[in-house]
Amino acid sequence: YWDSTDPPQDYSGWPVTNTQARLFTSAAACINTVLTLIPWPRREWAYATAFCFAILSGLFFYCFALDVAQLESAKERACPASVSCEFGRYSATAVFDFICGLVPLVYLVWQFVIKHNKSRVVQPKKFKPEDVPMHIPGLYEGVEHDMAKQEPPPIRPTLGVEVVEMEHPDTRELCLTVINVTKGGCYEEAGGRIGDIL
């Protein structure tokens, strides 16, 4: 902005304090975002990066408040007759600060509230040997097999679920997490869904 109390400025711009605060916060946000890409399956790591995102969100809102205060102060000053005072690009910077502060909050709510509520922990059922059926109707349905061969026919997959091995969020033990469910499959009919922990 144009400051009449200082020697006339040739170029307009933000005060040094605003620029330094915005630069520091943006650099820290970039570093924290890169750190979240490290594939370290630890809850402490996830909570640490989430805490940093919350701090960065507050810093961006602080930059937003600084910029708004300077804009209001600049608009109160008299604009010289030979100078065209425009505030559009500076107002856009303030809006950008606000958006940068809002994005981490939305991410944290999605990651630790909405997404967490969608996942469930399913305790495995305990079966006795006599409870396991020896023949399941339809298991070999549609599979051509030569009865003259001694080996059994290939089993047609009927569960309809894809899992990946990962660390349990509570016990830290390796477990299976459902990442894909076949539409119309047995697992979906049984009420299973993506995010179940087996």
Side-chain angles (χ1 to χ4, degrees):
Y1 64 92
W2 184 81
D3 189 356
S4 59
T5 62
D6 207 20
Q9 301 175 1
D10 295 331
Y11 301 98
S12 61
W14 289 104
V16 176
T17 303
N18 295 51
T19 303
Q20 289 178 342
R22 199 182 305 110
L23 180 61
F24 170 79
T25 306
S26 300
C30 291
I31 292 174
N32 194 59
T33 303
V34 171
L35 291 178
T36 60
L37 301 178
I38 298 177
W40 195 19
R42 288 288 183 183
R43 297 177 65 188
E44 295 82 4
W45 179 251
Y47 291 150
T49 54
F51 177 76
C52 291
F53 272 128
I55 296 297
L56 290 169
S57 177
L59 289 175
F60 272 117
F61 285 127
Y62 172 72
C63 294
F64 170 73
L66 282 179
D67 291 347
V68 170
Q70 291 295 337
L71 281 172
E72 293 297 327
S73 175
K75 290 179 180 179
E76 293 176 357
R77 301 175 188 270
C79 187
S82 60
V83 177
S84 175
C85 297
E86 298 178 356
F87 300 94
R89 55 181 178 177
Y90 300 106
S91 299
T93 303
V95 172
F96 180 76
D97 291 339
F98 182 82
I99 294 175
C100 287
L102 190 62
V103 167
L105 292 182
V106 173
Y107 169 77
L108 293 177
V109 171
W110 165 255
Q111 191 71 20
F112 292 93
V113 179
I114 299 176
K115 191 175 180 181
H116 179 73
N117 291 336
K118 287 185 177 181
S119 63
R120 302 180 302 170
V121 177
V122 180
Q123 298 295 335
K125 297 180 180 180
K126 296 182 178 179
F127 290 100
K128 297 179 181 179
E130 56 270 17
D131 294 335
V132 180
M134 299 303 296
H135 174 70
I136 302 177
L139 190 61
Y140 299 102
E141 183 180 349
V143 178
E144 297 181 0
H145 177 63
D146 187 358
M147 298 303 296
K149 297 181 179 180
Q150 298 298 322
E151 69 273 4
I155 298 178
R156 180 170 60 88
T158 58
L159 191 56
V161 61
E162 184 179 355
V163 298
V164 63
E165 189 178 40
M166 62 183 301
E167 188 180 65
H168 194 284
D170 296 326
T171 63
R172 298 183 180 176
E173 297 178 353
L174 289 178
C175 60
L176 297 178
T177 300
V178 178
I179 61 173
N180 191 22
V181 176
T182 302
K183 195 172 186 63
C186 296
Y187 191 77
E188 185 184 52
E189 292 178 358
R193 57 185 179 182
I194 297 175
D196 289 349
I197 301 176
L198 308 178

